[in-house]
């Protein structure tokens, strides 16, 4: 089949599968180009303790500042590269950019843990930990405890023992581990037991409807108790309103992240946000 490179690329593909392949390769090319032209940026979303009003950290979330299409969220480009080595390159870029940002904030007098999302593809590499150590080695002045990894339960599919050992190695380096989107996988309980995570992030699908749906509240309550019994910290994702915060505090979940507290924002806006944020005053007094 003909495949011409250069500006006037065209293709002589016939089947739908071929067309899909073509789109796939174009997507990869575009992402690669964007990576090498610094079009990716990290946004940061605060995680807070609602009860005492402190900011406990931020989650780094990737965005593509696309020259023509504007700011794109990860759903627009991560799936296309998921199973490709490029996902590793992008993943390493994210870790490095987060470390750079940690250093910059420290220089401004703001010391905050930053979590990065780790894809299954990244975690499955046998030299994942070496690579991480190598990246950290460029920032010898940064305490590795300021870096946290957010792991999807499903990333451990297949080789739980090996992934678990890898995460233990990360913990021995001082790096924090969170179980992301907790409760959405098929074996959440196994992962809770087997993976050395200090924190469990309850997926937003369990949080969204707690004000209207008593059964969802029961599930959330149970998940929180379970995580507690395993000595994990618990944070609720997708906290969209003050009322969600009220309810979470009443059932004993003090940590939260969501649009109701802050949307993900560019790094430049974070210090000002941290300095100006105040939790609603009644949050300090709710029983829970
Ligand atoms: P996640 O790690 O569970 O991140 C939370 C997602 O929920 C973010 O979407 C965030 O913007 C959104 N969110 C936060 N608060 C609320 C809320 O109150 N309501 C609602 N409806 N949504 C809220 P985003 O940034 O589009 O990221 C989506 C997913 O893409 C992330 O889910 C994560 O799995 C993945 N992702 C993001 N950045 C990276 C990255 O650098 N590397 C990798 N491998 N995955 C990433
Ligand atoms: Mg996450
Ligand atoms: Mg999540
Ligand atoms: Mg998610």
């Amino acid at each position: 089949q003909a495949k011409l490179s250069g500006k006037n690329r065209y293709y002589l593909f016939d089947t739908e599968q071929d067309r899909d392949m073509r789109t796939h390769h174009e997507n990869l090319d575009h992402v690669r180009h964007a990576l090498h032209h610094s079009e990716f940026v990290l946004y940061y979303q605060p995680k807070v303790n609602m009860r005492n009003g402190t900011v406990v950290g931020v989650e780094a979330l990737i965005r593509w500042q696309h020259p023509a299409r504007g700011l794109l969220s990860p759903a627009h480009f991560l799936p296309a590269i998921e199973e490709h080595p490029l996902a590793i390159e992008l993943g390493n870029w994210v870790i490095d950019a987060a470390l750079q940002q940690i250093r910059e904030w420290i220089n401004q007098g703001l010391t905050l843990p930053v979590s990065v999302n780790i894809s299954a593809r990244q975690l499955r590499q046998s030299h994942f930990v070496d690579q991480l150590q190598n990246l950290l080695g460029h920032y010898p002045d940064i305490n590795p405890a300021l870096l946290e990894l957010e792991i999807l339960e499903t990333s451990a599919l297949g080789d739980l023992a090996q992934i678990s050992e890898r995460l233990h190695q990360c913990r021995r380096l001082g790096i924090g581990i969170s179980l992301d989107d907790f409760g959405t996988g098929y074996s959440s309980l196994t992962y809770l037991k087997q993976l050395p995570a200090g924190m469990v992030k309850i997926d937003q699908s369990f949080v969204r409807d707690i004000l209207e749906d008593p059964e969802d509240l029961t599930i959330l309550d149970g998940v929180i108790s379970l995580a507690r019994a395993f000595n994990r910290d618990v944070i609720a994702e997708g906290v969209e309103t003050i009322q969600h915060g009220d309810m979470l505090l009443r059932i004993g979940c003090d940590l939260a992240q969501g649009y109701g507290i802050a949307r993900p924002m560019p790094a430049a806006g974070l210090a000002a946000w941290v300095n100006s944020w105040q939790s609603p005053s009644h949050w300090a007094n709710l029983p829970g």
Side-chain angles (χ1 to χ4, degrees), residues 153 179-189 200-224 234-240 244 247-248 251 253:
E153 306 176 336
L179 277 186
D180 204 354
D181 296 1
F182 185 76
T184 58
Y186 291 110
S187 314
S188 303
L189 303 185
V200 164
K201 303 190 76 179
I202 300 180
D203 190 66
Q204 52 193 50
S205 60
F206 297 105
V207 176
R208 192 179 306 129
D209 299 328
I210 52 171
L211 299 177
E212 305 87 47
D213 188 337
E215 292 180 339
D216 275 10
L217 186 61
T218 303
I219 292 176
L220 185 66
D221 202 15
V223 173
I224 291 168
V234 179
I235 185 166
E237 300 191 86
V239 178
E240 296 195 346
H244 282 89
M247 187 63 93
L248 285 158
I251 61 174
C253 181

Side-chain angles (χ1 to χ4, degrees), residues 247-261:
M247 187 63 93
L248 285 158
L249 282 162
R250 284 177 195 286
I251 61 174
C253 181
D254 293 355
L255 302 182
Q257 181 181 353
Y259 295 167
I261 293 151

